[in-house]
Each structure stands twice: as structure tokens, then as C-alpha cells.
Amino acid sequence: MPENTPARRPLRRRSRAVAALAAVTALLGGSLALAPAAVAAEAPPTIGAVSITAPAAADEGDTVEVVIAVDASADVFAYELAVTYDPALLALVDGESTFPTGGFDAVADDAGTATFTHTRLGTSPGLSGAQELVTFSFTALGDGTAEIAVSDATFLSASGTAIGLPEGAVVSATTALTAAPEPPSPSPTPTSSATTSPVPPTDDATPAPDTAGPPLAVTGQDAAVWIVLGVLAAGVIAVGVVIVLRRRAVTR
């Protein structure tokens, strides 16, 4: 790990980064021309294994943090790293890159290739030991497997000698991205059925007229009984009248 705390730097165009790196190299070359022959011996920097780490999975909209590091180094005065990625799945976050302190940093992003440049300044010593070369972030854009790879790298020593990644080295990481779920459709609001409220009775309601007539004196079987009794009574009277008439006839 670096002894110094990384500092955040803004994004700049790649052309400026490359130009700055070239200027530093030119200055180094001029100073080396005046240095003793022992110093002028062009010794290359040394680096150990370069690694890249990223989260194994992320959801759409998440921040995907990536770290490129080296487990050992000596006399690394400047370096440039080219990192490829799928711009349909990842978007580089502007202003979120960090480098070792004590140098000049630049970041350029061009349609799926991000270039990270760092160089020491003045008489600052070159980097040595394990180092986090750069830490940066992407925003996950969709669904798929996003590969992030160091496609090219250049390391310069204080004498201006350059080396690259070991031949055949594969420095990459993948992150499985999951698209954000679709928001659920709102349920239709149930409509309340119309209800009829009972109408309270009013005090001035006019009672319905009683259409029923006066009760019948005799109806149905009751009438038949009275008729029979009337007939019997009439018969009894008639018999009584006959008896009376006969008695009067005899007494005469």
C-alpha cells in the first residue's frame, strides 16, 4: 500500500496528459545530460504483479469502484495506464479518480478507453514498494457482464527508461450488472357502488285513504245459516197460524 494518502484529481483531456508526461521526460533527459556518467546509466524501473479489482456484482445505478495496484515497485517516476470498458454498461465518474500524492495526474476518457497518467514532480523520488496506482469509479448503466481491463501500460524510471506490462499478462476484472426492476403498475382504484339512502318519513305525509267499504253484515257461509234459520222461523210461524185458524174454525 502507498505510504501517502491518494488525492482526488479532476478529469483532463488525454492530449494534455500525454503532453505533460512527454514534457517531464524531456526535462529528465536534459538534467541527465548534465549528470555524472554513473547516474546517466539508464536503469529501467521495476514493477511486480499488476492487479485490477472491482466488485463481483452491482445493480443498475450503483457505483462500481475499481482499483489498479502493483504489489512491488522501484524507481517508478511516471506511468500511464489505458483501461478499456463497455460504455453501454459503464460510465466513468468525472472527478473521482485518486493517485499517489506528490505528483501531476491526468485522466482522459474516450468512448470506452480511459487513460490514467501520473508523474512525480521535480526532485521527488520515484515510487517504490506496493502501490495503488489509481482508484476510479464507474456508474452501472444496465444489465450484463462488464469487463474492465488494463489494455496497455507504460512505466518510466527517473532516467527516462520505459517498460510495459509483461508480455502475455492479462489484467482484467468483471462485474455482473443487474438492471433495475420495473416499478410495479399501480392497482386500479376500486369504485364504490352507489347506495340508496332510506328516505326518512315526513310529518306531513298524507295517509293513504282507506278504500275498504263498511264491513258486510253477512257474507259467505254466515249468510246461508241465517237464511236457513229465517226459513225455519217462517215455517214455524206458518204452522202456528194454521193451528190458530183451525181452532177458531172448531169453536164456531
Side-chain angles (χ1 to χ4, degrees), residues 39-145:
V39 177
E42 295 183 354
T46 59
I47 59 168
V50 179
S51 63
I52 182 170
T53 58
D59 295 328
E60 182 179 358
D62 287 352
T63 297
V64 179
E65 186 177 85
V66 182
V67 179
I68 300 176
V70 62
D71 64 357
S73 64
D75 193 24
V76 176
F77 197 85
Y79 56 85
E80 185 176 83
L81 308 171
V83 178
T84 56
Y85 64 94
D86 187 347
L89 298 177
L90 298 170
L92 188 66
V93 179
D94 187 8
E96 292 294 324
S97 302
T98 62
F99 296 82
T101 58
F104 171 83
D105 311 314
V107 179
D109 187 25
D110 183 19
T113 299
T115 303
F116 303 93
T117 304
H118 173 79
T119 180
R120 314 304 286 168
L121 295 177
T123 58
S124 299
L127 298 173
S128 62
Q131 297 286 335
E132 287 188 356
L133 301 177
V134 62
T135 300
F136 55 97
S137 298
F138 290 111
T139 298
L141 300 180
D143 186 78
T145 300

Side-chain angles (χ1 to χ4, degrees), residues 117-212:
T117 304
H118 173 79
T119 180
R120 314 304 286 168
L121 295 177
T123 58
S124 299
L127 298 173
S128 62
Q131 297 286 335
E132 287 188 356
L133 301 177
V134 62
T135 300
F136 55 97
S137 298
F138 290 111
T139 298
L141 300 180
D143 186 78
T145 300
E147 181 179 16
I148 308 162
V150 179
S151 59
D152 193 16
T154 301
F155 299 89
L156 291 175
S157 68
S159 64
T161 305
I163 61 171
L165 289 175
E167 185 177 355
V170 177
V171 184
S172 65
T174 57
T175 300
L177 305 181
T178 303
E182 294 291 335
S185 301
S187 302
T189 304
T191 56
S192 57
S193 58
T195 57
T196 304
S197 302
V199 179
T202 57
D203 295 338
D204 58 350
T206 304
D210 187 4
T211 57

